[in-house]
Amino acid sequence: MNSPQQKPAASVVILGGGLTGISTAVHLKKAWVLFEKEAGLGGLVVTREKNGYYFDRTGHWLHLRDQGMKDLVAQVLPGQMVEVERKARIFSHGATTLYPFQANLYGLPPDVVKECLLGVFEAKLAPAGGKGPKNFEEYCLRHFGAGISKHFMIPYNERLWGVSPREITAAWCSRFVPLPNLEQVVAGAVGANAGALGYNATFMYPKQGGIQTFAAALAGRLDPHRVHTSASLDRVDYQRREVLVGGERVSYSALVSTLPLPELLSRMPALPQAIEVHASRLRCTTLRYLDLATRAQPTADWHWAYVPEKRFPFYRVGIFSNAVASMAPPGGGSFYVELADRSPVSEATIRESVQGLAEMGAVASPRDVLFADEREIKYAYVVFDDNYYAATSAIFAFLESHAIYSRGRYGSWTYNSMEDALLAGRDVAATIDAISEGAKP
């Protein structure tokens, strides 16, 4: 067997060509080389086309808060992005209501509204003090009361995460779960709420070609000679600061990995036993979903809807073509349908999903569905259980002591947005450049 070839040393090796890897390369001043296992860049920010219908890997709506990221998007796609005002809905008890559920009870059956309001009053008027909530279920009961927790927060999140809310800590949700005050809850119960709550009230999206248009434009800023696609990582030798990719060894002064954290650690021989134990405790859930096309226009006008009831096989449905019409041929619709069951998709599940879409008013008839293709995301939702913070803290401290920076949604083993992925690349580039220049990072 031939010994692995030695490539010239790169100052920084970047593993993974998703948004974080691309952003790292865009922002780095030091020399870098990027390896991506797929044939093209983009990671999960890719778009599939079939018969004139376009599908992202479920909802990839670009929510921007950072001015630097707004400027970057404007630079790479000048005049090619549109700002869309969010239309998010909840479908439960046979009614379609505004998002978030906890601030928009109007339209639900009166007995449900009554139960939810009484629960909120009890929760808000409960004496303060004591220990904080131990898990997400307790968090919901503490902040929203029994009614809202029963009718939406607990069942929906159990379907989304694939585990009981009792297994998830309360620490993850401060940014992503809106906490309306009592006045907002009451106003929402009588239809008098004003203003959109939540971090994603608006989003940016390409006019043509799906979200991959943005990823491709950003990747277009990279030196193609430094980018190696169809190049899978074989091994990381953290002691020698080398990676083995496709039989070739590359030395590095710093390594930025955007691979899912378990994938990186599994390719690092001779890890300390304590780190291996922590790695064994990392948990996530797989997502199975449908790319679904309709020959007729959707009968709903929303962009996505949350579905907490177990009688439906899906917990969230999105309509790409309602946000940007070019995502489907004229007169058609392109959907993503996220399934609560993590097992392989059966024909029965597809039939039930199509019938469910008709019941919730997303399509006029099941006969409007042209095709529904099963898709999968292996690493979808990280589980923030009792082991999470101790494990990730120890793992990241170990990695960074060896100049390995694990970043991005799955590299950082977290739950975040596309903008967060871009910011992670920008920030780690600044950290590495500062160390290189002898400055304090």
Side-chain angles (χ1 to χ4, degrees):
M1 180 180 293
N2 294 331
S3 61
Q5 297 180 358
Q6 177 74 54
K7 270 194 172 183
S11 182
V12 181
V13 167
I14 303 168
L15 300 176
L19 284 190
T20 301
I22 297 170
S23 178
T24 302
V26 165
H27 290 98
L28 264 173
K29 297 175 183 176
K30 293 191 71 174
W32 55 267
V33 62
L34 186 151
F35 297 102
E36 164 58 46
K37 72 174 182 176
E38 302 294 341
L41 301 184
L44 292 179
V45 186
V46 293
T47 303
R48 172 179 176 248
E49 185 274 335
K50 181 177 179 179
N51 300 337
Y53 294 85
Y54 291 82
F55 306 93
D56 298 336
R57 302 212 68 185
T58 73
H60 271 81
W61 317 111
L62 187 56
H63 309 288
L64 298 174
R65 298 170 297 155
D66 180 87
Q67 188 58 50
M69 288 300 114
K70 292 178 181 179
D71 293 342
L72 179 63
V73 171
Q75 290 166 13
V76 300
L77 281 175
Q80 297 181 57
M81 298 285 282
V82 293
E83 184 174 28
V84 183
E85 186 174 340
R86 177 193 74 199
K87 291 183 180 178
R89 301 291 185 263
I90 315 289
F91 185 79
S92 66
H93 301 281
T96 301
T97 55
L98 297 176
Y99 169 87
F101 182 93
Q102 56 268 33
N104 292 286
L105 301 173
Y106 184 73
L108 291 168
D111 58 333
V112 175
V113 176
K114 175 184 175 182
E115 184 180 0
C116 290
L117 282 177
L118 288 175
V120 171
F121 295 152
E122 291 175 0
K124 296 292 185 183
L125 297 175
K131 294 183 178 180
K134 292 185 301 184
N135 55 53
F136 184 58
E137 181 174 299
E138 289 188 7
Y139 177 93
C140 294
L141 293 168
R142 175 81 58 90
H143 289 285
F144 306 117
I148 289 174
S149 297
K150 167 188 170 183
H151 290 289
F152 181 77
M153 297 302 300
I154 290 175
Y156 176 77
N157 281 284
E158 185 167 15
R159 306 186 84 208
L160 174 106
W161 298 99
V163 300
S164 168
R166 295 190 188 98
E167 296 182 47
I168 302 173
T169 69
W172 72 273
C173 55
S174 59
R175 173 180 163 197
F176 296 98
V177 181
L179 288 177
N181 58 37
L182 189 56
E183 180 181 355
Q184 290 172 317
V185 173
V186 173
V190 298
N193 225 345
L197 297 178
Y199 79 101
N200 56 357
T202 63
F203 58 88
M204 303 294 294
Y205 200 77
K207 293 179 180 179
Q208 301 285 337
I211 197 62
Q212 183 172 329
T213 300
F214 168 66
L218 187 63
R221 303 189 114 198
L222 304 181
D223 177 355
H225 297 98
R226 301 188 193 183
V227 176
H228 302 271
T229 54
S230 300
S232 295
L233 174 69
D234 300 313
R235 187 172 69 246
V236 175
D237 187 332
Y238 66 90
Q239 294 166 321
R240 298 180 62 178
R241 296 198 178 184
E242 288 181 348
V243 295
L244 182 67
V245 181
E248 296 186 326
R249 288 184 287 125
V250 181
S251 300
Y252 60 83
S253 62
L255 176 66
V256 178
S257 172
T258 69
L259 277 60
L261 187 56
E263 298 285 346
L264 171 66
L265 295 172
S266 70
R267 290 165 173 79
M268 296 178 65
L271 287 173
Q273 184 178 5
I275 299 302
E276 289 187 344
V277 170
H278 284 305
S280 70
R281 293 172 176 166
L282 300 176
R283 297 172 63 194
C284 76
T285 56
T286 294
L287 169 62
R288 295 183 190 272
Y289 66 97
L290 303 175
D291 285 345
L292 185 143
T294 59
R295 55 175 57 89
Q297 286 188 343
T299 46
D301 67 347
W302 36 259
H303 302 134
W304 65 86
Y306 306 90
V307 184
E309 295 175 359
K310 292 184 178 180
R311 65 191 183 92
F312 293 96
F314 46 76
Y315 62 85
R316 182 163 53 200
V317 176
I319 309 178
F320 297 113
S321 51
N322 276 356
V324 175
S326 63
M327 294 294 283
S334 59
F335 293 67
Y336 61 93
V337 181
E338 299 183 47
L339 302 170
D341 191 341
R342 268 61 184 180
S343 59
V345 180
S346 65
E347 288 297 324
T349 297
I350 293 177
R351 286 196 303 271
E352 291 167 8
S353 296
V354 171
Q355 291 165 358
L357 291 177
E359 180 178 342
M360 67 186 294
V363 299
S365 166
R367 292 187 298 274
D368 290 342
V369 175
L370 186 62
F371 62 82
D373 294 339
E374 176 185 355
R375 307 284 281 166
E376 178 185 289
I377 298 175
K378 180 179 179 181
Y379 295 95
Y381 296 105
V382 170
V383 176
F384 294 80
D385 60 15
D386 288 337
N387 294 314
Y388 173 84
Y389 291 99
T392 53
S393 294
I395 290 169
F396 295 139
F398 168 78
L399 292 175
E400 296 199 13
S401 73
H402 294 279
I404 299 174
Y405 302 88
S406 192
R407 295 293 190 270
R409 176 161 172 166
Y410 300 110
S412 294
W413 206 241
T414 190
Y415 179 82
N416 61 17
S417 67
M418 284 191 289
E419 183 186 47
D420 293 321
L422 295 167
L423 291 170
R426 185 185 72 182
D427 293 346
V428 76
T431 296
I432 293 169
D433 285 332
I435 293 172
S436 175
E437 295 166 4
K440 185 177 179 180

